[in-house]
Structures are given as C-alpha cells and as structure tokens.
Amino acid sequence: MNLTVIGTGYVGLVSGTCFAEMGNNVVCVDVDQTKVENLKQGKLPIYEPGLDPLVLRNAEQGRLRFTSSLAEAMEKTEVFFIAVGTPPDEDGSADLKYVQSVAREIGGLLQSYAVIVDKSTVPVGTAELVRNTVQVELDRRGVDVQFDVVSNPEFLKEGAAIEDFMKPDRVVIGSDSEKARELMRQLYAPFNRNHERTLFMGVRDAEMTKYAANSMLATKISFINEIANLCEKLDVDVENVRKGIGSDSRIGMSFIYPGCGYGGSCFPKDVQALIRMADGVDFEAGLLKAVESRNLTQKAWVSDRVKERFGDDLSNMTFGVWGLSFKPGTDDMREAPAKVLLADLLAAGARVLAYDPVAMDVAREELPAEWFDSDSLVLTDHQYDALQGVDAMLLVTEWKPFRNPDLDAMKRLMRQHVIIDGRNQYEPKLIREAGFEYTGVGRING
C-alpha cells in the first residue's frame, strides 16, 4: 500500500519504518526541515534499539522516504497516519492543535478516497473533530471527496518498540466504516500471520482503550509503590510481598516492581488527560488522581532517603547518580524521576556526578544550563567515573550494566560506602556483606 505518516517522532518513525519493512511504500512527513534532512542522511532523532538499520535498509531500497511537504506525499496515498505530538496543555488535557493542523492540511489537499488514521494518543471524540475539520476544508474547496477517519492507537514500549510493532499483542482499530475496516485489515494482515490479533470496535471505544491501558499500568506501579512505602513502616520486605501477589495469575508479575516512580511521554500525560476528560463530564476520577499523586510523591523517594541519611543541608557533599532516562532502553528523559532527584540535590547544595549509557546528549539539551555552568552537575564518561569521591551512589534507572557492578572498585572510589537503590536492583544482604550501607524501596533497611 501507499502510506503517508505525518510526524517523525517516536510513534511516526517507528510505525512508518515497520510498515515499510513489510513491503509498503511509506512517505514520512515532518514540518521540521532539519529533522527531515537528517533522516535522509540516516541520522535519527530518537534512540530506539534496532531502529537505525531498519530505517537505513528501507530508505536504501526505496520503500521509505522523508519530506517536509505533505502535498508531495499525497499522490496515490491510500492511508494517512496522523502521528504528531499531543502535549499536555496547561490544565493537563491533551493539546490537539497539531492534530487539527494536519487535518486541515489533508482536507486542503485530498483528491480521492483515503483513510485518515489517528495514530497519536488522542482524547475520546478526536476522530469526530478530525472528520469535521477535514470536511470543512473540502467544503471550502467546493469538492466532494469521500474519506473515513479511523482510530488506531499505538501500544509501543520504548526500548522494545520494533518487537511490539512487528509482533503485536493486539491491533486495535476503531471504525464504523466497513470499507475502512477492510483496508486496515489488509494493511495489518502481515502482522497477523500466526493468529488474528486485530480487534475492531467503535472509534470512541478505540480512543478510550489507549488511555485505559496506560492508566491501568500506571495504577499497578503506583499501587506497588504505595505497598512498598507501607512495608517500610511495618518492617516488611516488599520483595517477598511482590513475589507472593505476583504469583497469582489474576495479578501477574508485570508492572509490580517498586521504584522511584514512573516517567516518560505516555503514563504521566495519559493519566492526566484521562483525569481532565473525567472532569469535562463531571465525573470524579478519584482512583486516577490517587495514582498521579502517589507517583509525584514517589519521584522524591531517592532524595528523601538522601536527606534522611545526610540531613537537609547537602553542601560540601557529592553524589553519584546512575541512570537519567526514565527507563532502560531509551534516551527519553521526559518526566524522568532523575530530573526530580537532580533538582532536589542541587537545591540542597550538593554536587552531582551522573552517568547514563545513552541519555547523556539528551541530558545536556534538556537540563538547565546553569547546573552545568556552576559545575554543580557533571556528566561523566563512564559509570565508575560518577563514583569518584562520592558520599553515596544513587541508582535511578535499572540499565543492565548497573546490575552487577564491581563492588571492590566502588569501595575504592567512593568516599562513603552508601548505596540508595531507587529500583531495587541489588540484593541487600550481598551489598551489606560487601561493606556497604544499603537502602532499597520497601526493603528491610536495617
């Protein structure tokens, strides 16, 4: 098929590349000319394992092209994917200005029947907004062109997006048009070779499914974090509790790992947006508000433990931070717990040495310049460089290279042998026997 994907961010680039890998002709459109030129040269705007070679191969073989002109991409397009950002507005609701802008441009150019797909995460009712926006432009032009609007939310995990797209758990398609459903069925047929994964439903149902899925996962994280905090008060080891409840098939082990909170571009934004949707229909989303509140509190867990151990005034103290991205497998620092930790430590007068396997460039771009100018924050070239003369090592992101560290080297490098583990990566007994003072989330920290 001939596909046009508007937006070359995380969702758009992964989706367009994977569709091209399955033999489709894909044009990716972005208003950022610099980004487009970089993509043409094989320079990707995001880090995602396995994505670079897929982009290069499909571009070289002519199935994947990049342009800043939607008009150039329109010819023969059967399906348009809107994959632009929907950032949170001031009140936490999803800002749809980019989605509407794309819909207007499609309406101003559309010449023949096509399916317009909302791939971005958008509130319930957005497909109707897109349909009306396109129709207004068609009416303005005085042309009668048929089209359908479909909701096809993405369910990609950063760090495993290629696998998720190529071998999906489910493909959710919201449409009331049999013609559009058949076209989408054909498009996704190569991804359903083993068994049918496509779920057809109403447009509004599909829009809600995305928000409900992310909010459910965020709820599990906040739940286990709340239990972990209670365990700390009751002298209970949450790791045993986690295994005990996770063994129940109705609960499962996924997303019940205590830690210093969730971040990223999806969970915080989608929980907030769903709360605002509830407010808009005069519904009290008490559980979702509690999920958000617990997570905001949990992001301060590491800095709270630091201050409990060293006091509120951290002047003349240095801390080593391992991990800056919101999770392993990505350089994404949006809503990352590390941002909260760094701000708290620096505000208390501390000096920080930090290391992340892939997020260093993003950190230099996104973190306040004054942190670097004052030498209060130093990004190191190696994980052990971040431990030189520190008073404690603070683990924030559970990257694999951090999981089995050289404890002898750490003891030689660190001024004080204190580990505060924000992801429960280490076995407390082993760390303490090696001569370290250890604190974990909900662990027995005697």
Side-chain angles (χ1 to χ4, degrees):
M1 289 188 185
N2 296 308
L3 314 177
T4 293
V5 179
I6 302 106
T8 60
Y10 191 85
V11 174
L13 189 55
V14 170
S15 300
T17 302
C18 290
F19 279 132
E21 178 71 6
M22 285 300 192
N24 298 287
N25 298 311
V26 180
V27 181
C28 289
V29 181
D30 202 291
V31 294
D32 187 335
Q33 185 64 48
T34 301
K35 185 188 288 188
V36 169
E37 291 304 318
N38 285 338
L39 283 164
K40 287 180 178 179
Q41 297 171 32
K43 299 175 184 176
L44 273 60
I46 59 172
Y47 172 82
E48 177 61 36
L51 184 58
D52 290 67
L54 278 186
V55 171
L56 291 172
R57 179 167 70 244
N58 284 281
E60 287 171 358
Q61 295 176 0
R63 292 190 299 271
L64 182 62
R65 295 189 294 116
F66 302 98
T67 181
S68 58
S69 170
L70 181 57
E72 178 186 323
M74 292 286 290
E75 188 178 357
K76 297 181 180 179
T77 294
E78 299 165 89
V79 183
F80 294 90
F81 285 91
I82 300 177
V84 294
T86 54
D89 217 333
E90 289 184 6
D91 65 351
S93 60
D95 187 345
L96 298 176
K97 62 184 177 185
Y98 302 119
V99 172
Q100 284 185 277
S101 177
V102 171
R104 277 193 294 270
E105 191 170 3
I106 292 174
L109 295 167
L110 197 63
Q111 299 291 341
S112 58
Y113 175 81
V115 172
I116 301 169
V117 180
D118 284 331
K119 198 68 175 169
S120 304
T121 300
V122 291
V124 173
T126 300
E128 185 176 347
L129 174 66
V130 168
R131 183 182 294 109
N132 292 341
T133 302
V134 173
Q135 191 61 56
V136 165
E137 290 301 308
L138 293 174
D139 293 344
R140 182 185 61 80
R141 292 166 56 202
V143 296
D144 182 18
V145 180
Q146 298 301 304
F147 66 96
D148 286 307
V149 179
V150 167
S151 174
N152 174 217
E154 53 83 17
F155 298 96
L156 306 177
K157 297 188 295 292
E158 292 192 40
I162 304 300
E163 180 78 6
D164 286 347
F165 199 99
M166 302 301 276
K167 299 178 180 178
D169 293 325
R170 77 285 205 197
V171 176
V172 173
I173 297 173
S175 175
D176 301 320
S177 162
E178 188 53 46
K179 185 175 182 179
R181 288 188 177 200
E182 183 55 35
L183 200 62
M184 296 299 288
R185 183 184 288 110
Q186 292 174 23
L187 177 60
Y188 276 105
F191 303 92
N192 289 306
R193 299 287 291 179
N194 294 331
H195 63 273
E196 183 62 51
R197 296 181 174 90
T198 304
L199 303 175
F200 289 104
M201 58 184 69
V203 176
R204 295 172 73 89
D205 304 339
E207 291 170 336
M208 186 63 170
T209 297
K210 169 65 176 181
Y211 281 103
N214 278 351
S215 295
M216 179 67 215
L217 298 176
T219 299
K220 291 186 74 173
I221 296 171
S222 282
F223 172 80
I224 197 63
N225 281 335
E226 184 136 309
I227 293 298
N229 281 272
L230 182 57
C231 285
E232 290 178 6
K233 301 290 186 182
L234 297 175
D235 198 28
V236 172
D237 190 340
V238 75
E239 180 64 10
N240 293 324
V241 176
R242 182 186 71 81
K243 292 175 182 176
I245 65 173
S247 301
D248 187 327
S249 61
R250 297 169 300 175
I251 299 172
M253 292 291 188
S254 298
F255 291 87
I256 58 167
Y257 290 88
C260 51
Y262 59 77
S265 63
C266 294
F267 289 6
K269 176 173 70 74
D270 292 353
V271 170
Q272 272 195 359
L274 197 51
I275 290 171
R276 297 301 169 263
M277 276 188 263
D279 291 343
V281 292
D282 198 26
F283 177 79
E284 176 60 29
L287 176 59
L288 294 174
K289 290 178 179 178
V291 168
E292 182 182 40
S293 175
R294 164 48 58 198
N295 191 59
L296 293 174
T297 301
Q298 201 67 19
K299 285 184 177 181
W301 183 90
V302 176
S303 55
D304 287 346
R305 298 296 87 75
V306 168
K307 292 174 182 178
E308 284 177 6
R309 172 62 177 77
F310 297 101
D312 291 335
D313 184 0
L314 302 177
S315 302
N316 302 317
M317 305 201 77
T318 303
F319 298 92
V321 173
W322 278 3
L324 296 171
S325 59
F326 84 93
K327 61 177 275 190
T330 180
D331 62 355
D332 195 342
M333 288 187 62
R334 286 173 289 184
E335 301 286 342
K339 286 184 171 179
V340 174
L341 172 62
L342 294 175
D344 287 350
L345 294 177
L346 297 175
R351 183 168 184 263
V352 179
L353 310 179
Y355 173 79
D356 188 285
V358 304
M360 304 295 261
D361 289 341
V362 172
R364 291 185 182 94
E365 293 173 6
E366 294 192 6
L367 297 177
E370 58 268 24
W371 290 0
F372 299 104
D373 295 341
S374 63
D375 204 36
S376 298
L377 173 63
V378 176
L379 302 182
T380 66
D381 294 329
H382 192 278
Q383 69 186 73
Y384 292 103
D385 293 342
L387 300 183
Q388 188 69 50
V390 302
D391 294 284
M393 186 277 274
L394 316 176
L395 180 75
V396 184
T397 314
E398 63 275 32
W399 285 95
K400 288 180 180 178
F402 302 158
R403 293 185 182 180
N404 193 26
D406 185 337
L407 298 177
D408 291 334
M410 292 174 67
K411 288 187 73 174
R412 290 194 301 270
L413 291 167
M414 296 171 67
R415 180 163 59 191
Q416 297 191 62
H417 302 148
V418 178
I419 294 176
I420 298 178
D421 182 358
R423 296 298 176 188
N424 285 0
Q425 285 297 284
Y426 305 125
E427 176 54 47
K429 184 173 182 291
L430 178 67
I431 299 297
R432 292 181 182 126
E433 287 177 350
F436 290 86
E437 182 181 324
Y438 175 85
T439 302
V441 185
R443 308 305 303 268
I444 296 179
N445 296 313

